[in-house]
Amino acid sequence: MPAKATLPGAVASLGLREEAFDAPRRFDKGARIFRRGDPVRGVFLVLEGEVRLCRFGARGEEVILQRARAGEILAEAALDSPRYHCDAIVTEAGEFIRLSASVLRAMLDSDAQFARKWAGMLSGELRRARARLERMTLKSAADRVRHYLATEGRGPACETTISGSLKDLARELGVAHETLYRTIADMERRGELERAGRRLRFRRPAV
Amino acid sequence: MPAKATLPGAVASLGLREEAFDAPRRFDKGARIFRRGDPVRGVFLVLEGEVRLCRFGARGEEVILQRARAGEILAEAALDSPRYHCDAIVTEAGEFIRLSASVLRAMLDSDAQFARKWAGMLSGELRRARARLERMTLKSAADRVRHYLATEGRGPACETTISGSLKDLARELGVAHETLYRTIADMERRGELERAGRRLRFRRPAV
DNA sequence: CGTCGCATTGATATCGCTCAAATCCGGTGG
DNA sequence: CCACCGGATTTGAGCGATATCAATGCGACG
């Protein structure tokens, strides 16, 4: 579980002005912070917990567009839209701050320092989205696990502690959870992977 | 084939200063504008033709991270990196302008107008990347075609004229080209889709 | 306890990938 | 004008990996 981000820290990192944000609000698991089609009133900074941007297909299948955890910002790309194009669903109860869309727009126009940091954050998000995209083009579940570790892991063994359940990871990787269980078990059996609870890493430094 | 973007138009749209860019340079198909690991010297504005950001997997399989055509900017996310993290390959000969990384960084720091536009462009890219991501989570090829039309198409029938070959579209959709041919043929047979050369659209407005 | 959701394993069906082959089409050179 | 060539387009056949359906164990929680 990631540390709870402090408001001052988060504000300092972006150089936000005071009028830009509301007081933190608590949300329970399952709550919707906004829905598709709602007018854009803000962008959300996650202090604690987890929120996902989701769309739902014709048959109700969920698609995760973004996962934001403590310290991360949700729906940054919405700032240029009049309306949200997806739902924001709380998947882990916590606290969130709304950053006013109008104030952010004003700051982007006037505060070069802030605009620079904002652009930097967008670049990072873009890179991460492209990494996920690359991962999704891999056909085999094992390759996706390898790519996930190589991308998200730390150190030579690409160690990661998965947040949430394996089921969640399966959805993130775009495979059925049964397939993920089997794949991980296979990779462990072959000595390619080590798993201890929610900790995953390569046994032999791959790639 | 998209119209050739004019330098003044492209510059005006972003409010670039003169010292920010070089003279246009021609590139032939297959040329590499930069390679993975090269130090980041700039971002590239495509005036004509097409460039792709690609990574290559362990077995040499190509992964398209971005496709930039006339008027679009390539590798915007690289600005915060010291080195490129993928290859830029020309897939359609044309002209490109290098925008100096150092000048862009300076402009981001000092020119709020520019930073605002830059952030807006990043937001757009992010949205597009997330749309592709959403598409890749769809399992069936038909669903991906539908999503592609729904996302990229114009008007009630979601009409699109595909750039490049169907083979290219297949790679963009992450399916084998044979599968795409069959899928499109099936959808036409069922009266769901209409195809005339490179033009695709829904017959019945779906969704 | 009873319930709920995650984790795990088994069995089966299905869809897309792969290999193969035929055709079409635009360009090129004789 | 025609033969030829390379790449795109199609269609066929079969295999294999993954999704799906099912059942069970397990731990948390009220």
mmCIF file of all heavy atoms in Angstrom, chain A residues 12-56:
data_model
loop_
_atom_site.group_PDB
_atom_site.id
_atom_site.type_symbol
_atom_site.label_atom_id
_atom_site.label_comp_id
_atom_site.label_asym_id
_atom_site.label_seq_id
_atom_site.Cartn_x
_atom_site.Cartn_y
_atom_site.Cartn_z
ATOM 1 N N ALA A 12 3.179 21.333 -3.843
ATOM 2 C CA ALA A 12 4.507 21.873 -4.104
ATOM 3 C C ALA A 12 5.070 21.303 -5.399
ATOM 4 O O ALA A 12 5.696 22.023 -6.184
ATOM 5 C CB ALA A 12 5.429 21.554 -2.936
ATOM 6 N N SER A 13 4.828 20.008 -5.629
ATOM 7 C CA SER A 13 5.434 19.377 -6.794
ATOM 8 C C SER A 13 4.908 19.985 -8.090
ATOM 9 O O SER A 13 5.576 19.974 -9.108
ATOM 10 C CB SER A 13 5.177 17.881 -6.773
ATOM 11 O OG SER A 13 3.864 17.603 -7.200
ATOM 12 N N LEU A 14 3.706 20.480 -8.076
ATOM 13 C CA LEU A 14 3.153 21.081 -9.290
ATOM 14 C C LEU A 14 3.142 22.606 -9.223
ATOM 15 O O LEU A 14 2.901 23.269 -10.226
ATOM 16 C CB LEU A 14 1.727 20.583 -9.530
ATOM 17 C CG LEU A 14 1.593 19.308 -10.348
ATOM 18 C CD1 LEU A 14 0.150 18.856 -10.403
ATOM 19 C CD2 LEU A 14 2.119 19.516 -11.756
ATOM 20 N N GLY A 15 3.386 23.147 -8.053
ATOM 21 C CA GLY A 15 3.348 24.599 -7.932
ATOM 22 C C GLY A 15 1.945 25.159 -8.060
ATOM 23 O O GLY A 15 1.731 26.189 -8.681
ATOM 24 N N LEU A 16 0.977 24.460 -7.488
ATOM 25 C CA LEU A 16 -0.420 24.892 -7.597
ATOM 26 C C LEU A 16 -0.702 26.086 -6.701
ATOM 27 O O LEU A 16 -0.187 26.181 -5.590
ATOM 28 C CB LEU A 16 -1.347 23.747 -7.178
ATOM 29 C CG LEU A 16 -1.539 22.642 -8.201
ATOM 30 C CD1 LEU A 16 -2.352 21.516 -7.577
ATOM 31 C CD2 LEU A 16 -2.240 23.184 -9.426
ATOM 32 N N ARG A 17 -1.524 26.966 -7.180
ATOM 33 C CA ARG A 17 -1.977 28.068 -6.332
ATOM 34 C C ARG A 17 -3.105 27.580 -5.447
ATOM 35 O O ARG A 17 -3.764 26.581 -5.732
ATOM 36 C CB ARG A 17 -2.473 29.223 -7.199
ATOM 37 C CG ARG A 17 -1.351 29.920 -7.945
ATOM 38 C CD ARG A 17 -1.752 31.337 -8.277
ATOM 39 N NE ARG A 17 -2.911 31.385 -9.145
ATOM 40 C CZ ARG A 17 -2.846 31.637 -10.459
ATOM 41 N NH1 ARG A 17 -1.684 31.822 -11.040
ATOM 42 N NH2 ARG A 17 -3.938 31.685 -11.167
ATOM 43 N N GLU A 18 -3.353 28.309 -4.380
ATOM 44 C CA GLU A 18 -4.329 27.865 -3.381
ATOM 45 C C GLU A 18 -5.747 27.759 -3.929
ATOM 46 O O GLU A 18 -6.486 26.848 -3.600
ATOM 47 C CB GLU A 18 -4.323 28.815 -2.178
ATOM 48 C CG GLU A 18 -3.035 28.751 -1.388
ATOM 49 C CD GLU A 18 -3.321 28.649 0.093
ATOM 50 O OE1 GLU A 18 -4.452 28.979 0.478
ATOM 51 O OE2 GLU A 18 -2.431 28.227 0.839
ATOM 52 N N GLU A 19 -6.114 28.730 -4.748
ATOM 53 C CA GLU A 19 -7.493 28.726 -5.224
ATOM 54 C C GLU A 19 -7.746 27.606 -6.234
ATOM 55 O O GLU A 19 -8.859 27.417 -6.703
ATOM 56 C CB GLU A 19 -7.858 30.078 -5.859
ATOM 57 C CG GLU A 19 -7.130 30.390 -7.159
ATOM 58 C CD GLU A 19 -5.848 31.168 -6.933
ATOM 59 O OE1 GLU A 19 -5.247 30.999 -5.838
ATOM 60 O OE2 GLU A 19 -5.462 31.930 -7.814
ATOM 61 N N ALA A 20 -6.698 26.865 -6.541
ATOM 62 C CA ALA A 20 -6.855 25.839 -7.571
ATOM 63 C C ALA A 20 -7.563 24.594 -7.062
ATOM 64 O O ALA A 20 -8.098 23.822 -7.839
ATOM 65 C CB ALA A 20 -5.494 25.461 -8.148
ATOM 66 N N PHE A 21 -7.553 24.405 -5.732
ATOM 67 C CA PHE A 21 -8.070 23.121 -5.267
ATOM 68 C C PHE A 21 -9.053 23.247 -4.108
ATOM 69 O O PHE A 21 -9.038 24.216 -3.349
ATOM 70 C CB PHE A 21 -6.922 22.192 -4.861
ATOM 71 C CG PHE A 21 -5.929 22.831 -3.941
ATOM 72 C CD1 PHE A 21 -6.153 22.827 -2.574
ATOM 73 C CD2 PHE A 21 -4.785 23.422 -4.442
ATOM 74 C CE1 PHE A 21 -5.235 23.397 -1.717
ATOM 75 C CE2 PHE A 21 -3.862 24.001 -3.579
ATOM 76 C CZ PHE A 21 -4.088 24.002 -2.219
ATOM 77 N N ASP A 22 -9.893 22.255 -4.005
ATOM 78 C CA ASP A 22 -10.844 22.140 -2.904
ATOM 79 C C ASP A 22 -10.182 21.456 -1.728
ATOM 80 O O ASP A 22 -9.056 20.983 -1.820
ATOM 81 C CB ASP A 22 -12.024 21.263 -3.323
ATOM 82 C CG ASP A 22 -12.809 21.899 -4.455
ATOM 83 O OD1 ASP A 22 -12.619 23.094 -4.704
ATOM 84 O OD2 ASP A 22 -13.604 21.170 -5.070
ATOM 85 N N ALA A 23 -10.947 21.347 -0.653
ATOM 86 C CA ALA A 23 -10.527 20.518 0.471
ATOM 87 C C ALA A 23 -10.619 19.051 0.039
ATOM 88 O O ALA A 23 -11.419 18.701 -0.831
ATOM 89 C CB ALA A 23 -11.437 20.771 1.669
ATOM 90 N N PRO A 24 -9.790 18.196 0.637
ATOM 91 C CA PRO A 24 -9.851 16.771 0.306
ATOM 92 C C PRO A 24 -11.225 16.204 0.627
ATOM 93 O O PRO A 24 -11.876 16.611 1.589
ATOM 94 C CB PRO A 24 -8.787 16.162 1.224
ATOM 95 C CG PRO A 24 -7.891 17.281 1.612
ATOM 96 C CD PRO A 24 -8.750 18.499 1.630
ATOM 97 N N ARG A 25 -11.649 15.258 -0.164
ATOM 98 C CA ARG A 25 -12.918 14.584 0.105
ATOM 99 C C ARG A 25 -12.692 13.085 0.125
ATOM 100 O O ARG A 25 -11.874 12.554 -0.624
ATOM 101 C CB ARG A 25 -13.932 14.926 -0.981
ATOM 102 C CG ARG A 25 -14.409 16.353 -0.924
ATOM 103 C CD ARG A 25 -15.318 16.662 -2.094
ATOM 104 N NE ARG A 25 -16.463 15.761 -2.176
ATOM 105 C CZ ARG A 25 -17.306 15.730 -3.207
ATOM 106 N NH1 ARG A 25 -17.111 16.534 -4.232
ATOM 107 N NH2 ARG A 25 -18.317 14.904 -3.219
ATOM 108 N N ARG A 26 -13.427 12.431 0.992
ATOM 109 C CA ARG A 26 -13.324 10.979 1.067
ATOM 110 C C ARG A 26 -14.285 10.345 0.070
ATOM 111 O O ARG A 26 -15.387 10.833 -0.149
ATOM 112 C CB ARG A 26 -13.672 10.484 2.467
ATOM 113 C CG ARG A 26 -12.593 10.741 3.506
ATOM 114 C CD ARG A 26 -12.600 9.643 4.569
ATOM 115 N NE ARG A 26 -12.150 8.378 4.054
ATOM 116 C CZ ARG A 26 -10.854 8.045 3.947
ATOM 117 N NH1 ARG A 26 -9.922 8.885 4.310
ATOM 118 N NH2 ARG A 26 -10.509 6.868 3.481
ATOM 119 N N PHE A 27 -13.852 9.230 -0.492
ATOM 120 C CA PHE A 27 -14.748 8.466 -1.357
ATOM 121 C C PHE A 27 -14.666 7.000 -0.974
ATOM 122 O O PHE A 27 -13.587 6.493 -0.661
ATOM 123 C CB PHE A 27 -14.363 8.628 -2.823
ATOM 124 C CG PHE A 27 -14.740 9.960 -3.393
ATOM 125 C CD1 PHE A 27 -13.859 11.017 -3.349
ATOM 126 C CD2 PHE A 27 -15.993 10.142 -3.963
ATOM 127 C CE1 PHE A 27 -14.211 12.242 -3.882
ATOM 128 C CE2 PHE A 27 -16.340 11.364 -4.494
ATOM 129 C CZ PHE A 27 -15.457 12.421 -4.458
ATOM 130 N N ASP A 28 -15.796 6.345 -1.004
ATOM 131 C CA ASP A 28 -15.820 4.922 -0.700
ATOM 132 C C ASP A 28 -15.582 4.108 -1.960
ATOM 133 O O ASP A 28 -15.769 4.594 -3.069
ATOM 134 C CB ASP A 28 -17.173 4.529 -0.091
ATOM 135 C CG ASP A 28 -17.373 5.188 1.270
ATOM 136 O OD1 ASP A 28 -16.360 5.383 1.971
ATOM 137 O OD2 ASP A 28 -18.527 5.500 1.605
ATOM 138 N N LYS A 29 -15.225 2.883 -1.740
ATOM 139 C CA LYS A 29 -15.018 1.981 -2.857
ATOM 140 C C LYS A 29 -16.315 1.866 -3.660
ATOM 141 O O LYS A 29 -17.395 1.679 -3.081
ATOM 142 C CB LYS A 29 -14.598 0.610 -2.341
ATOM 143 C CG LYS A 29 -14.322 -0.386 -3.445
ATOM 144 C CD LYS A 29 -13.691 -1.651 -2.886
ATOM 145 C CE LYS A 29 -13.371 -2.625 -4.014
ATOM 146 N NZ LYS A 29 -12.620 -3.795 -3.541
ATOM 147 N N GLY A 30 -16.185 1.949 -4.946
ATOM 148 C CA GLY A 30 -17.351 1.820 -5.805
ATOM 149 C C GLY A 30 -17.979 3.153 -6.190
ATOM 150 O O GLY A 30 -18.786 3.205 -7.118
ATOM 151 N N ALA A 31 -17.614 4.216 -5.477
ATOM 152 C CA ALA A 31 -18.185 5.527 -5.791
ATOM 153 C C ALA A 31 -17.711 6.000 -7.164
ATOM 154 O O ALA A 31 -16.655 5.589 -7.637
ATOM 155 C CB ALA A 31 -17.771 6.534 -4.718
ATOM 156 N N ARG A 32 -18.525 6.837 -7.763
ATOM 157 C CA ARG A 32 -18.120 7.426 -9.053
ATOM 158 C C ARG A 32 -17.833 8.897 -8.843
ATOM 159 O O ARG A 32 -18.701 9.630 -8.382
ATOM 160 C CB ARG A 32 -19.232 7.277 -10.078
ATOM 161 C CG ARG A 32 -19.665 5.834 -10.192
ATOM 162 C CD ARG A 32 -20.003 5.455 -11.593
ATOM 163 N NE ARG A 32 -20.236 4.018 -11.603
ATOM 164 C CZ ARG A 32 -20.509 3.305 -12.682
ATOM 165 N NH1 ARG A 32 -20.588 3.922 -13.842
ATOM 166 N NH2 ARG A 32 -20.688 2.025 -12.617
ATOM 167 N N ILE A 33 -16.645 9.297 -9.150
ATOM 168 C CA ILE A 33 -16.266 10.695 -8.981
ATOM 169 C C ILE A 33 -16.879 11.536 -10.088
ATOM 170 O O ILE A 33 -17.329 12.647 -9.866
ATOM 171 C CB ILE A 33 -14.740 10.829 -8.948
ATOM 172 C CG1 ILE A 33 -14.205 10.066 -7.727
ATOM 173 C CG2 ILE A 33 -14.326 12.285 -8.893
ATOM 174 C CD1 ILE A 33 -12.731 10.196 -7.525
ATOM 175 N N PHE A 34 -16.905 11.008 -11.277
ATOM 176 C CA PHE A 34 -17.675 11.628 -12.349
ATOM 177 C C PHE A 34 -18.070 10.551 -13.345
ATOM 178 O O PHE A 34 -17.546 9.442 -13.302
ATOM 179 C CB PHE A 34 -16.905 12.768 -13.036
ATOM 180 C CG PHE A 34 -15.567 12.364 -13.604
ATOM 181 C CD1 PHE A 34 -15.485 11.652 -14.792
ATOM 182 C CD2 PHE A 34 -14.395 12.714 -12.958
ATOM 183 C CE1 PHE A 34 -14.266 11.294 -15.318
ATOM 184 C CE2 PHE A 34 -13.161 12.351 -13.482
ATOM 185 C CZ PHE A 34 -13.104 11.634 -14.657
ATOM 186 N N ARG A 35 -19.005 10.913 -14.191
ATOM 187 C CA ARG A 35 -19.485 9.966 -15.181
ATOM 188 C C ARG A 35 -19.257 10.496 -16.582
ATOM 189 O O ARG A 35 -19.145 11.695 -16.788
ATOM 190 C CB ARG A 35 -20.995 9.724 -15.003
ATOM 191 C CG ARG A 35 -21.318 8.919 -13.773
ATOM 192 C CD ARG A 35 -22.817 9.002 -13.481
ATOM 193 N NE ARG A 35 -23.134 8.419 -12.199
ATOM 194 C CZ ARG A 35 -23.362 7.120 -12.002
ATOM 195 N NH1 ARG A 35 -23.340 6.298 -13.030
ATOM 196 N NH2 ARG A 35 -23.629 6.669 -10.802
ATOM 197 N N ARG A 36 -19.230 9.581 -17.487
ATOM 198 C CA ARG A 36 -19.109 9.943 -18.894
ATOM 199 C C ARG A 36 -20.226 10.904 -19.271
ATOM 200 O O ARG A 36 -21.392 10.649 -18.960
ATOM 201 C CB ARG A 36 -19.217 8.671 -19.723
ATOM 202 C CG ARG A 36 -19.047 8.875 -21.198
ATOM 203 C CD ARG A 36 -19.089 7.516 -21.884
ATOM 204 N NE ARG A 36 -18.515 7.610 -23.212
ATOM 205 C CZ ARG A 36 -18.155 6.544 -23.943
ATOM 206 N NH1 ARG A 36 -18.323 5.344 -23.459
ATOM 207 N NH2 ARG A 36 -17.653 6.709 -25.135
ATOM 208 N N GLY A 37 -19.861 11.987 -19.890
ATOM 209 C CA GLY A 37 -20.864 12.945 -20.324
ATOM 210 C C GLY A 37 -21.016 14.119 -19.384
ATOM 211 O O GLY A 37 -21.556 15.156 -19.766
ATOM 212 N N ASP A 38 -20.546 13.963 -18.137
ATOM 213 C CA ASP A 38 -20.602 15.095 -17.205
ATOM 214 C C ASP A 38 -19.718 16.224 -17.724
ATOM 215 O O ASP A 38 -18.667 15.967 -18.325
ATOM 216 C CB ASP A 38 -20.065 14.671 -15.817
ATOM 217 C CG ASP A 38 -21.039 13.759 -15.087
ATOM 218 O OD1 ASP A 38 -22.186 13.615 -15.549
ATOM 219 O OD2 ASP A 38 -20.632 13.185 -14.053
ATOM 220 N N PRO A 39 -20.118 17.456 -17.480
ATOM 221 C CA PRO A 39 -19.250 18.567 -17.849
ATOM 222 C C PRO A 39 -17.973 18.543 -17.006
ATOM 223 O O PRO A 39 -18.016 18.192 -15.819
ATOM 224 C CB PRO A 39 -20.092 19.810 -17.530
ATOM 225 C CG PRO A 39 -21.128 19.346 -16.572
ATOM 226 C CD PRO A 39 -21.402 17.918 -16.909
ATOM 227 N N VAL A 40 -16.866 18.889 -17.625
ATOM 228 C CA VAL A 40 -15.576 18.827 -16.927
ATOM 229 C C VAL A 40 -15.468 19.964 -15.927
ATOM 230 O O VAL A 40 -15.416 21.133 -16.312
ATOM 231 C CB VAL A 40 -14.403 18.903 -17.930
ATOM 232 C CG1 VAL A 40 -13.090 19.049 -17.187
ATOM 233 C CG2 VAL A 40 -14.375 17.665 -18.802
ATOM 234 N N ARG A 41 -15.463 19.615 -14.647
ATOM 235 C CA ARG A 41 -15.328 20.647 -13.618
ATOM 236 C C ARG A 41 -13.961 20.598 -12.968
ATOM 237 O O ARG A 41 -13.594 21.489 -12.224
ATOM 238 C CB ARG A 41 -16.418 20.473 -12.565
ATOM 239 C CG ARG A 41 -17.800 20.840 -13.111
ATOM 240 C CD ARG A 41 -18.898 20.246 -12.268
ATOM 241 N NE ARG A 41 -18.839 20.709 -10.892
ATOM 242 C CZ ARG A 41 -19.520 20.139 -9.887
ATOM 243 N NH1 ARG A 41 -20.277 19.086 -10.145
ATOM 244 N NH2 ARG A 41 -19.432 20.608 -8.681
ATOM 245 N N GLY A 42 -13.246 19.558 -13.263
ATOM 246 C CA GLY A 42 -11.932 19.503 -12.660
ATOM 247 C C GLY A 42 -11.164 18.253 -13.003
ATOM 248 O O GLY A 42 -11.651 17.351 -13.686
ATOM 249 N N VAL A 43 -9.963 18.255 -12.467
ATOM 250 C CA VAL A 43 -9.065 17.129 -12.582
ATOM 251 C C VAL A 43 -8.837 16.700 -11.149
ATOM 252 O O VAL A 43 -9.000 17.501 -10.232
ATOM 253 C CB VAL A 43 -7.776 17.614 -13.269
ATOM 254 C CG1 VAL A 43 -6.632 16.680 -13.047
ATOM 255 C CG2 VAL A 43 -8.028 17.854 -14.748
ATOM 256 N N PHE A 44 -8.517 15.440 -10.906
ATOM 257 C CA PHE A 44 -8.493 14.973 -9.530
ATOM 258 C C PHE A 44 -7.129 14.467 -9.117
ATOM 259 O O PHE A 44 -6.503 13.676 -9.824
ATOM 260 C CB PHE A 44 -9.562 13.901 -9.328
ATOM 261 C CG PHE A 44 -10.946 14.454 -9.500
ATOM 262 C CD1 PHE A 44 -11.519 14.599 -10.754
ATOM 263 C CD2 PHE A 44 -11.659 14.905 -8.399
ATOM 264 C CE1 PHE A 44 -12.776 15.157 -10.919
ATOM 265 C CE2 PHE A 44 -12.923 15.459 -8.552
ATOM 266 C CZ PHE A 44 -13.477 15.585 -9.808
ATOM 267 N N LEU A 45 -6.704 14.928 -7.976
ATOM 268 C CA LEU A 45 -5.443 14.483 -7.403
ATOM 269 C C LEU A 45 -5.750 13.435 -6.340
ATOM 270 O O LEU A 45 -6.501 13.689 -5.402
ATOM 271 C CB LEU A 45 -4.715 15.679 -6.771
ATOM 272 C CG LEU A 45 -3.463 15.370 -5.958
ATOM 273 C CD1 LEU A 45 -2.397 14.733 -6.840
ATOM 274 C CD2 LEU A 45 -2.925 16.637 -5.322
ATOM 275 N N VAL A 46 -5.170 12.278 -6.497
ATOM 276 C CA VAL A 46 -5.419 11.187 -5.558
ATOM 277 C C VAL A 46 -4.449 11.307 -4.385
ATOM 278 O O VAL A 46 -3.232 11.310 -4.583
ATOM 279 C CB VAL A 46 -5.248 9.820 -6.242
ATOM 280 C CG1 VAL A 46 -5.473 8.695 -5.245
ATOM 281 C CG2 VAL A 46 -6.196 9.700 -7.411
ATOM 282 N N LEU A 47 -4.986 11.440 -3.175
ATOM 283 C CA LEU A 47 -4.135 11.499 -1.984
ATOM 284 C C LEU A 47 -3.936 10.116 -1.392
ATOM 285 O O LEU A 47 -2.893 9.806 -0.832
ATOM 286 C CB LEU A 47 -4.767 12.412 -0.932
ATOM 287 C CG LEU A 47 -4.897 13.880 -1.321
ATOM 288 C CD1 LEU A 47 -5.504 14.660 -0.176
ATOM 289 C CD2 LEU A 47 -3.547 14.450 -1.697
ATOM 290 N N GLU A 48 -4.966 9.302 -1.528
ATOM 291 C CA GLU A 48 -4.935 7.975 -0.911
ATOM 292 C C GLU A 48 -5.969 7.130 -1.629
ATOM 293 O O GLU A 48 -7.023 7.639 -2.041
ATOM 294 C CB GLU A 48 -5.292 8.091 0.575
ATOM 295 C CG GLU A 48 -5.133 6.801 1.355
ATOM 296 C CD GLU A 48 -5.771 6.920 2.739
ATOM 297 O OE1 GLU A 48 -6.400 7.952 3.015
ATOM 298 O OE2 GLU A 48 -5.644 5.969 3.518
ATOM 299 N N GLY A 49 -5.693 5.845 -1.766
ATOM 300 C CA GLY A 49 -6.634 4.964 -2.434
ATOM 301 C C GLY A 49 -6.334 4.846 -3.915
ATOM 302 O O GLY A 49 -5.214 5.135 -4.356
ATOM 303 N N GLU A 50 -7.319 4.398 -4.655
ATOM 304 C CA GLU A 50 -7.122 4.217 -6.084
ATOM 305 C C GLU A 50 -8.396 4.533 -6.845
ATOM 306 O O GLU A 50 -9.488 4.165 -6.417
ATOM 307 C CB GLU A 50 -6.691 2.783 -6.394
ATOM 308 C CG GLU A 50 -6.392 2.562 -7.862
ATOM 309 C CD GLU A 50 -6.039 1.123 -8.185
ATOM 310 O OE1 GLU A 50 -4.866 0.751 -8.069
ATOM 311 O OE2 GLU A 50 -6.948 0.370 -8.559
ATOM 312 N N VAL A 51 -8.223 5.230 -7.941
ATOM 313 C CA VAL A 51 -9.350 5.538 -8.817
ATOM 314 C C VAL A 51 -8.992 5.082 -10.217
ATOM 315 O O VAL A 51 -7.832 5.144 -10.614
ATOM 316 C CB VAL A 51 -9.655 7.048 -8.849
ATOM 317 C CG1 VAL A 51 -10.985 7.299 -9.535
ATOM 318 C CG2 VAL A 51 -9.659 7.624 -7.452
ATOM 319 N N ARG A 52 -10.005 4.613 -10.924
ATOM 320 C CA ARG A 52 -9.764 4.189 -12.291
ATOM 321 C C ARG A 52 -10.656 4.944 -13.251
ATOM 322 O O ARG A 52 -11.812 5.225 -12.933
ATOM 323 C CB ARG A 52 -10.062 2.697 -12.449
ATOM 324 C CG ARG A 52 -9.092 1.862 -11.691
ATOM 325 C CD ARG A 52 -9.338 0.408 -11.928
ATOM 326 N NE ARG A 52 -8.519 -0.358 -10.989
ATOM 327 C CZ ARG A 52 -8.614 -1.659 -10.833
ATOM 328 N NH1 ARG A 52 -9.496 -2.341 -11.524
ATOM 329 N NH2 ARG A 52 -7.838 -2.277 -9.979
ATOM 330 N N LEU A 53 -10.082 5.241 -14.381
ATOM 331 C CA LEU A 53 -10.888 5.759 -15.477
ATOM 332 C C LEU A 53 -11.336 4.565 -16.307
ATOM 333 O O LEU A 53 -10.504 3.803 -16.784
ATOM 334 C CB LEU A 53 -10.066 6.691 -16.364
ATOM 335 C CG LEU A 53 -9.870 8.113 -15.888
ATOM 336 C CD1 LEU A 53 -9.312 8.947 -17.024
ATOM 337 C CD2 LEU A 53 -11.178 8.683 -15.415
ATOM 338 N N CYS A 54 -12.632 4.428 -16.438
ATOM 339 C CA CYS A 54 -13.150 3.258 -17.138
ATOM 340 C C CYS A 54 -14.150 3.644 -18.211
ATOM 341 O O CYS A 54 -14.870 4.625 -18.080
ATOM 342 C CB CYS A 54 -13.866 2.311 -16.176
ATOM 343 S SG CYS A 54 -12.831 1.704 -14.861
ATOM 344 N N ARG A 55 -14.175 2.835 -19.210
ATOM 345 C CA ARG A 55 -15.283 2.863 -20.150
ATOM 346 C C ARG A 55 -15.945 1.515 -20.120
ATOM 347 O O ARG A 55 -15.338 0.513 -19.775
ATOM 348 C CB ARG A 55 -14.787 3.145 -21.574
ATOM 349 C CG ARG A 55 -14.634 4.595 -21.864
ATOM 350 C CD ARG A 55 -14.540 4.788 -23.352
ATOM 351 N NE ARG A 55 -14.059 6.114 -23.639
ATOM 352 C CZ ARG A 55 -13.678 6.519 -24.838
ATOM 353 N NH1 ARG A 55 -13.709 5.676 -25.846
ATOM 354 N NH2 ARG A 55 -13.278 7.743 -25.030
ATOM 355 N N PHE A 56 -17.190 1.498 -20.515
ATOM 356 C CA PHE A 56 -17.896 0.238 -20.559
ATOM 357 C C PHE A 56 -18.351 -0.035 -21.973
ATOM 358 O O PHE A 56 -18.932 0.826 -22.620
ATOM 359 C CB PHE A 56 -19.081 0.255 -19.608
ATOM 360 C CG PHE A 56 -18.640 0.348 -18.187
ATOM 361 C CD1 PHE A 56 -18.482 1.567 -17.569
ATOM 362 C CD2 PHE A 56 -18.331 -0.800 -17.490
ATOM 363 C CE1 PHE A 56 -18.033 1.646 -16.261
ATOM 364 C CE2 PHE A 56 -17.887 -0.731 -16.182
ATOM 365 C CZ PHE A 56 -17.742 0.493 -15.567
#
